[in-house]
Structures are given as C-alpha cells and as structure tokens.
Amino acid sequence: MKLFASDYDGTFARSNRTPGEIEKNIIQVKQWREAGNLFIFATGRDVPGLLNVLPKHNGLKYDYLVCLNGGTITTHTGEIVLDKVIPQHLANEIMTIVKENNIQEYYIDHVTTNGTGKISVFMDTPDEALCIARLFAMHFEDRTSIFANERCVDLTALGVSKATGVAQVAHRHNIAHKDIYCMGDSHNDIPMLAAYNGITLPGVATAVNAAATQVCGSVGAALELLLAIP
C-alpha cells in the first residue's frame, strides 16, 4: 500500500489549471485507490471548509482529510483521528498582537471549548506576510506552529504540520516511508514535501521547489506516473 497526500488550493484545484485537469485528477485518484492505495488531502482549510467544496468534484473519493495544516485529521466517514488546538489563553495573546499591529484581515477557524484550531492573517504582499511571520515567531515560536503562505500567515497548535498529519495516517496503515508521496505548491506544504517523496508544480516559489524532488503539471499527471511504476 502507498499513500498520496495532496494539497487542495493551488494544487488539486489550481486557478490556472488546464481544461479537463480536475476531471483527470478525479479519474487518476479513482485508479490510485482501486490499486489499493490511500489518497488524502492535506490542507490549511478547516474540515467544514473543505467539505463544502469537495462535493462539486463529482466522483471524487478520498480516505482522510488532514486539515488546519495538520491540526485536525478525519477519515472519509468523519471519524476524528486528531483534533489539536491552540489553547484559548494563547489564542487571546495572538489576537492582541494582531490588533496591536492593526492587521485588518484575519480569520479564526475551528473554535472549540478547548481552544482555537487556526488563526490566519492576510497581508497586502508576500513580503509583508514574511515580516509578520517573523514577528509572530518572536512571540510564539515555542508555543505555536507558524506557516507563511503567499499573503497569508497561519498559526496552529504547536508541533503540528502537514508532515505530522501525513505521518499519523501512514502509521495507522503501516505504510513505509518510501511509499509516501506528497504534492503541494506553497510554503505550508514544505514540511511534507521535505519529509517524504515531495512533488510540486511548475512556477512555485524557490523554497517550495527546493523541498520537492519532482515537478509535475497536475495531481493527475503525478498519480499517472506513480501508477506506472511496477
């Protein structure tokens, strides 16, 4: 058994995708799973946000959702495998910094009785996002996981990433490290691209490209290549 983890936004569903690309992705995912392998999504979105868009891809099936950059993991039936949040007192500290720096665009996802799944802030440019990420790191690096992603900066529970989420799914199914493939296009994908057989897309940022070992034009193209390997 092998495992393929795909980012959603910018990877499985690209804004600059070619005609028929998603349809091919769906066909190849079906063939991948029929061959006895696992297909999972690894995304910064929360579970409701991803479940809201997946139904529009007719025929698409998956095995797990790794959401909130690894903080939440569910099976295809909705069973919760992991749900790790930022403690509420720490979330309050983060929001104090957000307001002190007059950040106007921010989102708080997955608020529970135990804390907050993710806090995201959006800046005008990628450079501004990197600056804010460094500011957050000065205050919270030892208490949260921080991911810069284009104009966005995500803060999630300490010690989680897409790589840790993928690892937990692989462990549940005794999948060998060499049989794990991950595909993504942005900075929050770097942990899983670097940890496993990383695949990225043409035109990504230099740091993302450096973390991967292969470039493919789409998720469907990557799966087609992998299925051809004996």
Side-chain angles (χ1 to χ4, degrees), residues 24-198:
K24 179 176 180 178
N25 290 349
I26 294 170
I27 291 170
Q28 294 299 323
V29 168
K30 183 174 185 290
Q31 293 183 7
W32 177 258
R33 296 180 74 245
E34 287 177 347
N37 304 308
L38 296 184
F39 179 84
I40 73 176
F41 281 108
T43 176
R45 289 186 183 230
D46 62 2
V47 173
L50 190 57
L51 291 179
N52 186 51
V53 297
L54 291 183
K56 70 181 182 182
H57 304 311
N58 294 328
L60 176 63
K61 304 291 183 183
Y62 61 88
D63 296 289
Y64 289 85
L65 301 179
V66 174
C67 292
L68 297 174
N69 291 322
T72 300
I73 305 173
T74 67
T75 68
H76 69 283
T77 62
E79 175 193 351
I80 298 173
V81 176
L82 176 72
D83 193 20
K84 194 171 182 181
V85 297
I86 303 169
Q88 197 53 51
H89 69 88
L90 179 53
N92 293 340
E93 288 186 47
I94 293 169
M95 288 308 302
T96 297
I97 297 295
V98 169
K99 292 172 182 177
E100 286 178 351
N101 285 272
N102 198 32
I103 298 172
Q104 299 297 313
E105 190 177 0
Y106 60 86
Y107 295 92
I108 301 173
D109 290 323
H110 190 50
V111 178
T112 73
T113 56
N114 296 320
T116 298
K118 184 181 71 168
I119 297 173
S120 300
V121 302
F122 290 82
M123 309 305 293
D124 290 335
T125 67
D127 285 343
E128 288 182 9
L130 288 173
C131 287
I132 288 297
R134 287 193 286 269
L135 175 64
F136 283 135
M138 289 173 57
H139 292 274
F140 308 116
E141 188 172 35
D142 59 343
R143 293 184 286 166
T144 63
S145 295
I146 303 167
F147 303 98
N149 184 10
E150 297 298 328
R151 295 190 308 112
C152 174
V153 178
D154 294 332
L155 294 95
T156 56
L158 181 65
V160 301
S161 69
K162 291 187 180 185
T164 64
V166 169
Q168 187 151 344
V169 173
H171 179 72
R172 283 169 64 90
H173 294 271
N174 296 313
I175 299 174
H177 186 278
K178 67 181 179 62
D179 293 325
I180 301 171
Y181 300 85
C182 300
M183 189 166 186
D185 71 303
S186 198
H187 289 82
N188 62 339
D189 297 309
I190 288 175
M192 69 175 183
L193 296 178
Y196 301 106
N197 297 300

